[in-house]
Amino acid sequence: MKYVIPVLAGRMVRALARLRGGGSAYPGRTVLALAPDFLTHVSSQFERGVVFVLGSNGKSTTTMMLTETLRAHGLSVFTNPTGANLPQGIASAFLREVTPMGDVRHDIGVIEVDEAFAVELTRSLKPSTVLMLNVQVDQLYRFFETERVGTMMTDTAALASTAVVTNRDDQHLGPYEAREGQSVTRFGAAADIVAASPNGLQNANDFTRRADGTLEAQTEVVAVNGDGASIRVGETTVDIRLPARGLHYAVDAAAAIETASVVLGGRIDPVAVARAFDGMKPAYGRGERMSLGADEAEFIMFKNAASLQMNLDALPQDVEQVMLAIDEGTPDISWIYDIDFSHLDHVDVLAGAKAWQLALRLEHDGIPVHVIEEDISKAIRLMRALPSPSDHTKHFVTNYEQMMLARRILGHPDLEKSA
């Protein structure tokens, strides 16, 4: 009975928030204020424990991939699908699943976690497995230096009770060594695959640098072709369809498959893996497609230099129509001078509060911009008014905040509201 009032109060707040158009954190704040041990109570009920997914880029996509892979193997999985990865957001996600008594009926929890809160959340969620994806130059106004983010992740991994899965090719994460009672396995991309990528795996001067050439990856990307990839898992190779184009999505897939293998005790079914990926839709705004009448809008969301670079590299050759949009949700965009924009021969529309800064950067490379329109609503109208491209796809490359606004303008509610 202890959790009945907190759960019902949280659900009431959630219903009110949805009526007002969103606000996924408020229900979680409510339940945690009334029952501070709520997260510990619900997470302790998972028979197969809790998996944390950490990383500068790819958390939401990899969480989805891992969740669907485990479901394809017959497990019932709880996850936080909206990307709400702070304590209150995770609590809100649990509110959708628990009974009024605070009980859950899932086998395992797969939870995307913000790195800054990860150590704190280990005290309540007690992860059995921690997956570390990558460390990028990201949100320096929050973290001040990249190495600090890597330390947050490895400190969290040290608290995992059973297993750590880490990125062989990340110099911050690859060298992680198991603590007492832990196993450590790694994922990565084959050297020839990284070398064939225009800008490797990271946006830095040493694009192809690896943590340690002697480290073995138990699961490895061995081929990528558009939205298709071949992933070696031990001695077996699995061919999968990715939810979106690009090497970065293939590496996310390798991370998810290796973590699923760890959770399942090495008993991965290649047929189940391929089936899971065949039915997978892009994560929220990550290659997501929406109708524009006779055409489609493809939303490609970026957070930082690395994600923008990898997404630009994965665009189709001779892309016909593209809008770039960035606003104050990305406070410091000085990193745009490290980006290789050579894949673009023009930009149709620049949008967002920082459109003029981006215009200056593109002018530096001699890339023509047809229209600059800071207002995202007007920018979308300009894109819709363009003639239909031959592939009937208009590409919207945006930061997170502009993506959210654009989705609403096109009539697509927030994931929390539509759940």
Side-chain angles (χ1 to χ4, degrees):
M1 297 295 292
K2 175 181 177 180
Y3 299 97
V4 173
I5 292 176
V7 169
L8 293 179
R11 286 180 172 172
M12 184 179 297
V13 171
R14 179 172 179 258
L16 292 172
R18 291 176 70 185
L19 287 174
R20 297 186 63 178
S24 63
Y26 296 116
R29 286 198 185 103
T30 301
V31 73
L32 291 176
L34 296 173
D37 64 341
F38 175 73
L39 290 177
T40 301
H41 171 72
V42 291
S43 64
S44 66
Q45 300 173 53
F46 296 125
E47 182 179 345
R48 290 180 178 261
V50 170
V51 179
F52 273 13
V53 180
L54 309 176
S56 297
N57 291 328
K59 289 191 292 292
S60 296
T61 295
T62 307
T63 297
M64 175 190 70
M65 290 175 170
L66 175 55
T67 295
E68 295 306 319
T69 300
L70 292 175
R71 286 173 176 164
H73 285 80
L75 295 187
S76 175
V77 184
F78 164 82
T79 190
N80 50 334
T82 67
N85 53 26
L86 302 180
Q88 60 269 24
I90 295 168
S92 292
F94 271 114
L95 279 174
R96 294 196 301 269
E97 304 289 336
V98 300
T99 69
M101 303 292 289
D103 297 329
V104 293
R105 298 186 177 93
H106 296 290
D107 300 313
I108 189 170
V110 176
I111 302 177
E112 172 186 339
V113 176
D114 183 279
E115 293 74 38
F117 290 85
V119 170
E120 173 189 333
L121 280 165
T122 61
R123 302 187 185 103
S124 52
L125 294 171
K126 297 179 171 53
S128 51
T129 302
V130 171
L131 165 59
M132 300 188 292
L133 294 172
N134 49 65
V135 178
Q136 305 287 359
V137 178
D138 183 39
Q139 300 186 59
L140 294 185
Y141 62 93
R142 288 180 69 198
F143 301 129
F144 309 113
E145 54 189 19
T146 305
E147 289 75 10
R148 185 181 177 197
V149 180
T151 300
M152 290 174 180
M153 293 190 209
T154 54
D155 285 350
T156 304
L159 299 172
S161 62
T162 303
V164 174
V165 179
T166 190
N167 186 343
R168 188 250 337 253
D169 301 328
D170 189 293
Q171 60 265 33
H172 299 286
L173 306 177
Y176 178 85
E177 296 182 356
R179 304 307 193 258
E180 185 176 354
Q182 287 183 343
S183 67
V184 175
T185 58
R186 295 176 173 85
F187 64 91
D192 61 323
I193 301 299
V194 177
S197 176
N199 292 290
L201 285 171
Q202 302 200 32
N203 185 259
N205 292 330
D206 52 350
F207 294 127
T208 59
R209 181 155 72 105
R210 294 181 178 277
D212 184 341
T214 65
L215 293 173
E216 178 186 1
Q218 283 71 28
T219 298
E220 187 174 60
V221 180
V222 294
V224 182
N225 182 15
D227 66 353
S230 297
I231 312 288
R232 177 188 59 76
V233 188
E235 301 300 319
T236 302
T237 299
V238 183
D239 294 322
I240 61 172
R241 184 193 63 81
L242 300 169
R245 299 178 304 272
L247 174 58
H248 50 316
Y249 286 106
V251 174
D252 289 344
I257 293 169
E258 175 56 29
T259 307
S261 179
V262 169
V263 168
L264 296 165
R267 294 186 295 275
I268 280 285
D269 178 357
V271 175
V273 172
R275 184 173 67 248
F277 277 85
D278 280 343
M280 207 174 287
K281 295 180 180 179
Y284 201 42
R286 285 83 167 173
E288 192 178 21
R289 287 177 172 265
M290 302 173 192
S291 174
L292 286 178
D295 301 316
E296 282 190 315
E298 181 187 46
F299 277 89
I300 303 168
M301 190 272 290
F302 63 88
K303 289 173 57 184
N304 50 37
S307 60
L308 177 57
Q309 187 67 74
M310 298 298 288
N311 280 309
L312 288 175
D313 291 347
L315 282 172
Q317 290 295 321
D318 303 316
V319 60
E320 292 182 49
Q321 292 183 13
V322 61
M323 179 180 86
L324 298 181
I326 186 167
D327 63 10
E328 297 295 345
T330 306
D332 176 11
I333 63 168
S334 59
W335 46 259
I336 60 173
Y337 286 89
D338 291 327
I339 299 294
D340 173 12
F341 285 98
S342 61
H343 198 81
L344 300 176
D345 62 6
H346 78 286
V347 173
D348 294 281
V349 181
L350 284 181
K354 296 195 173 181
W356 290 97
Q357 293 180 52
L358 191 52
L360 183 63
R361 170 67 184 90
L362 294 173
E363 182 182 42
H364 184 75
D365 274 2
I367 298 172
V369 175
H370 296 166
V371 180
I372 299 174
E373 173 52 68
E374 293 186 34
D375 184 275
I376 188 69
S377 299
K378 295 177 181 178
I380 289 174
R381 286 200 293 271
L382 290 168
M383 286 292 289
R384 296 188 76 154
L386 294 173
S388 290
S390 60
D391 62 356
H392 294 287
T393 301
K394 298 173 186 274
H395 304 277
F396 293 74
V397 183
T398 73
N399 68 340
Y400 182 83
E401 290 75 14
Q402 290 284 280
M403 179 270 291
M404 294 285 285
L405 288 170
R407 289 182 92 264
R408 292 173 196 151
I409 291 165
L410 293 176
H412 292 261
D414 295 349
L415 193 57
E416 165 66 17
K417 189 177 179 184
S418 61

